[in-house]
Amino acid sequence: MPLNGRFRMRPKLRIGTLSAGQRVPYWAARMMERIGTSSYAEIGLHVTVGTSDREGHRPPSSRSLLYRAHEAADELVCKTPLLMGGSGRPDPFKHEDLPAVLDGVERFHLGDGQRPVKASPDVFDRLKRKDLDVLVDAGSELDLDDISAASRYGVLSFFPGDCMRYDGRSAGFWEIYDGALATSSHVRRTHGGRTFPVYLSYSRTVNWSEKRNREQAYLKGISFIPRVLEALCHGGEEAISPVTDEGAACASSSRPSPGNLDVVKFHFRNLPRNARIIIRKTLYRESWAIRYKLGENMPTSFEDFVAMEPPKGVWWGDPHVARHGDDLLIFIEELQLPFGKNHGHISVIKMDPQGRYERPVKVLERPYHLSNPLVFEWEGRRFLVPESAHGRTIELYEAVEFPYGWKLVKNIMTDVHAVDTTIVRRDGLWWLFCNIKENEGAPLNDELFLFYADDLFTDSWTPHPLNPVITDVRRARPAGAFFEQDGVLYRPSQDCSVCYGYAININKVLRLDKQHYEEEQVGYIEPGRFGGASRVHTMNHVPGITVVDTFADLPRF
């Protein structure tokens, strides 16, 4: 959930950090680094609580026998390269020394013994004298309500879960148990005798692994508290108000640690679901194809779209459309399978007004994968922005012989893992939307970032102060170019909660300016509206044609 406005600059916030012992998990070390090297905060004190430097995410005593066996099996599965799809993902719970950003920062040790640790009056007074704006907890096992009054704005903590039904205990387990499509994570604020969420995000539930489900929350969550602190610095306390409509406080231990019977039920529920996935992947192959419908207006019915089937062993996807004279042009990602060995390139299919089309012609190829060929026109010039995440760029091309010849004009951004870039001109500014993966191992489908500029060719795009403007796997990732009807701007987005590119949301843009971004969902296009489709992933329209791409399961044998 995007933060409330943060617009008036203030001096740096003074932060105190809290940890359990002299070693901290990877996620906490990266978070502290980001805070300590920022322009909006400085760490003035670090407090270690107790002597625990254990690896892991919860004390062994809290786990039943079958739950410990379940976790061991899950750990083994996640270490199997064939099942986890590769290696190299950081372990967010691997402990390491306190980061170098704390070198020279005053430190002191607080309490051993019974948990949660309570601060003595002397320790409380010592903290108060440091004149801290915020205490940031990184798993210290302190009584946070007890110590929250020692800083101006209380304590900020990161937790998986939604602070209500899922309170963060046995993180990732209960979401899979319940069959929840999305798993939440949040920042909670403890202040004035209350604990409530101030930042809320959603990722797709990894239903085959509790460990992986939990890890993705922590790797994405590295960014959350730094974002909240930046909002507080620039926007004041309003920026850390409750994000729930009712301003409800966090629930207290709403779900117990899984017992033996819970684990049995977990696998009884999950085994058939995972078996269906394995059977489907074994017996069927997925085909990616284009469907279109001729007509001047955006259609309201999708059942009569015409399929354009690619040759066997080829994928056609990410269709974008343009007009050139009487011709309708469908720009696509074209990929020769297998995906792991080949990379996609951009091709164009020329179609006449009656729907007769030619074979695709390759128009752009790079040494890395290209997809999502956004095409637009400005002042009589034609431009192309393909997805080039594998090159860690956002590239801008201009047509030298439309639609077949293109030249690279510039890299709009570099050293960025950005996907599905969409650019729209509105109110005298260029607005660039894309999903970005900020942290290694974090999900890519969850967070929509927004940038703006006066000049399309500038070297400096200004990040929107609410970034990410959406942090929800159900509606963040772009699903095609913006379109306008009756003066109203609409943004198609993907619902990736079931799987990548499962369905398309139609979002009405309510407010877009340098300080705000607001949209509301006004439509939802499910794959079932296209005969035989298991996913519908992209939609684009120009007067004369509407295109989508769909996935379908075809028999392997």
Side-chain angles (χ1 to χ4, degrees):
M1 181 172 294
L3 296 160
N4 294 325
R6 53 183 194 262
F7 317 122
R8 183 162 61 87
M9 292 299 296
R10 298 186 175 198
K12 280 190 175 186
L13 296 172
R14 187 164 172 80
I15 307 300
T17 51
L18 312 170
S19 69
Q22 297 293 332
R23 290 169 61 80
V24 294
Y26 171 92
W27 74 266
R30 302 293 81 74
M31 176 189 69
M32 292 177 184
E33 287 176 346
R34 190 164 301 184
I35 294 170
T37 58
S38 73
S39 61
Y40 50 81
E42 60 185 7
I43 300 175
L45 179 69
H46 181 76
V47 180
T48 56
V49 182
T51 58
S52 175
D53 288 321
R54 59 177 174 80
E55 306 278 331
H57 58 278
R58 70 178 72 88
S61 60
S62 69
R63 295 175 285 180
S64 66
L65 176 63
L66 287 184
Y67 189 41
R68 291 198 297 271
H70 156 81
E71 288 195 306
D74 196 5
E75 181 83 23
L76 183 62
V77 168
C78 287
K79 287 181 177 178
T80 305
L82 181 63
L83 295 175
M84 67 182 286
S87 57
R89 179 179 285 101
D91 180 353
F93 307 113
K94 183 176 178 60
H95 276 57
E96 58 185 69
D97 293 336
L98 290 170
V101 74
L102 294 181
D103 292 350
V105 171
E106 181 183 349
R107 306 183 192 184
F108 71 84
H109 178 77
L110 173 61
D112 290 308
Q114 187 174 359
R115 301 293 192 270
V117 176
K118 286 186 174 290
S120 67
D122 288 344
V123 169
F124 186 86
D125 288 342
R126 184 175 177 183
L127 289 172
K128 287 284 286 184
R129 290 195 297 270
K130 299 304 293 183
D131 190 31
L132 299 171
D133 291 301
V134 179
L135 287 165
V136 172
D137 180 51
S140 66
E141 297 183 344
L142 260 175
D143 185 328
L144 300 183
D145 188 56
D146 176 61
I147 205 172
S148 63
S151 67
R152 187 168 289 106
Y153 298 109
V155 183
L156 295 178
S157 314
F158 169 78
F159 279 87
D162 60 3
C163 210
M164 303 298 293
R165 178 174 175 81
Y166 304 106
D167 66 357
R169 294 201 306 164
S170 307
F173 177 90
W174 291 113
E175 291 88 346
I176 300 174
Y177 182 95
D178 290 340
L181 295 178
T183 293
S184 49
S185 50
H186 69 278
V187 175
R188 61 178 64 171
R189 179 188 178 194
T190 303
H191 180 68
R194 297 177 62 215
T195 298
F196 49 87
V198 298
Y199 190 92
L200 189 58
S201 179
Y202 296 90
S203 299
R204 183 174 70 88
T205 299
V206 182
N207 52 38
W208 58 270
S209 170
E210 174 197 350
K211 172 181 166 64
R212 183 59 54 79
N213 202 32
R214 179 171 54 249
E215 286 180 346
Q216 70 171 358
Y218 277 90
L219 291 170
K220 185 171 73 166
I222 291 168
S223 301
F224 290 2
I225 288 180
R227 291 172 185 167
V228 172
L229 291 175
E230 185 177 8
L232 175 61
C233 177
H234 299 331
E237 192 169 8
E238 181 186 355
I240 53 171
S241 56
V243 294
T244 52
D245 293 337
E246 304 82 8
C250 289
S252 177
S253 300
S254 58
R255 304 298 291 266
S257 180
N260 290 327
L261 183 58
D262 294 317
V263 176
V264 172
K265 290 181 177 179
F266 175 97
H267 287 283
F268 182 77
R269 293 179 177 188
N270 214 36
L271 188 60
R273 179 169 52 199
N274 289 336
R276 285 194 298 271
I277 294 172
I278 293 172
I279 291 172
R280 182 174 62 84
K281 288 183 177 292
T282 302
L283 299 181
Y284 296 89
R285 61 179 177 86
E286 200 165 44
S287 175
W288 196 13
I290 309 298
R291 303 188 191 209
Y292 71 92
K293 183 174 183 177
L294 299 177
E296 292 300 304
N297 299 317
M298 183 76 74
T300 57
S301 172
F302 298 92
E303 287 74 14
D304 53 351
F305 271 56
V306 179
M308 302 172 64
E309 295 292 342
K312 187 175 181 180
V314 176
W315 274 2
W316 290 350
D318 288 346
H320 285 254
V321 285
R323 297 191 65 123
H324 187 51
D326 291 333
D327 293 327
L328 303 170
L329 302 169
I330 306 174
F331 290 83
I332 61 170
E333 170 198 340
E334 187 171 34
L335 174 67
Q336 182 74 45
L337 297 174
F339 178 77
K341 293 185 178 180
N342 300 310
H343 58 259
H345 58 262
I346 306 304
S347 293
V348 65
I349 299 171
K350 186 161 72 171
M351 178 182 290
D352 69 20
Q354 288 71 46
R356 296 183 292 263
Y357 59 90
E358 302 175 359
R359 296 171 60 87
V361 176
K362 184 189 298 184
V363 297
L364 185 63
E365 186 172 28
R366 300 284 276 173
Y368 39 81
H369 183 76
L370 296 179
S371 60
N372 192 55
L374 175 74
V375 182
F376 61 97
E377 185 175 0
W378 173 246
E379 295 183 338
R381 301 161 70 183
R382 302 271 194 161
F383 296 97
L384 168 67
V385 179
E387 178 189 307
S388 52
H390 289 249
R392 296 190 62 83
T393 56
I394 299 177
E395 300 170 353
L396 176 67
Y397 293 83
E398 183 178 357
V400 292
E401 185 185 346
F402 187 77
Y404 302 113
W406 299 88
K407 67 175 181 181
L408 178 65
V409 176
K410 70 181 294 88
N411 287 327
I412 294 176
M413 295 184 190
T414 58
D415 194 27
V416 61
H417 193 151
V419 296
D420 290 344
T421 296
T422 54
I423 297 177
V424 63
R425 178 80 174 174
R426 195 76 169 176
D427 298 328
L429 292 172
W430 292 98
W431 303 92
L432 185 154
F433 295 75
C434 61
N435 267 43
I436 291 177
K437 182 196 290 190
E438 279 199 329
N439 308 316
E440 187 63 33
L444 186 56
N445 299 325
D446 298 4
E447 297 193 321
L448 179 70
F449 287 76
L450 173 57
F451 303 84
Y452 61 88
D454 297 314
D455 181 6
L456 179 62
F457 308 104
T458 183
D459 290 321
S460 180
W461 287 75
T462 302
H464 198 277
L466 298 185
N467 272 341
V469 292
I470 296 174
T471 175
D472 188 336
V473 70
R474 298 169 296 187
R475 62 188 188 94
R477 187 163 175 166
F482 282 78
F483 64 92
E484 187 173 328
Q485 286 189 343
D486 300 323
V488 177
L489 196 63
Y490 294 88
R491 186 183 76 89
S493 70
Q494 299 180 42
D495 177 2
C496 295
S497 61
V498 177
C499 59
Y500 165 63
Y502 171 71
I504 295 175
N505 307 288
I506 304 299
N507 306 291
K508 180 181 180 181
V509 177
L510 302 176
R511 193 171 184 183
L512 172 59
D513 58 45
K514 292 182 180 180
Q515 309 297 347
H516 307 90
Y517 181 73
E518 298 175 22
E519 67 179 31
E520 68 173 352
Q521 182 182 330
V522 295
Y524 189 73
I525 304 171
E526 297 180 276
R529 300 177 74 173
F530 303 89
S534 59
R535 293 188 267 167
V536 56
H537 165 267
T538 304
M539 182 180 75
N540 281 291
H541 169 82
V542 295
I545 188 170
T546 301
V547 291
V548 298
D549 59 353
T550 58
F551 291 78
D553 292 328
L554 302 179
R556 288 186 182 273
F557 310 105

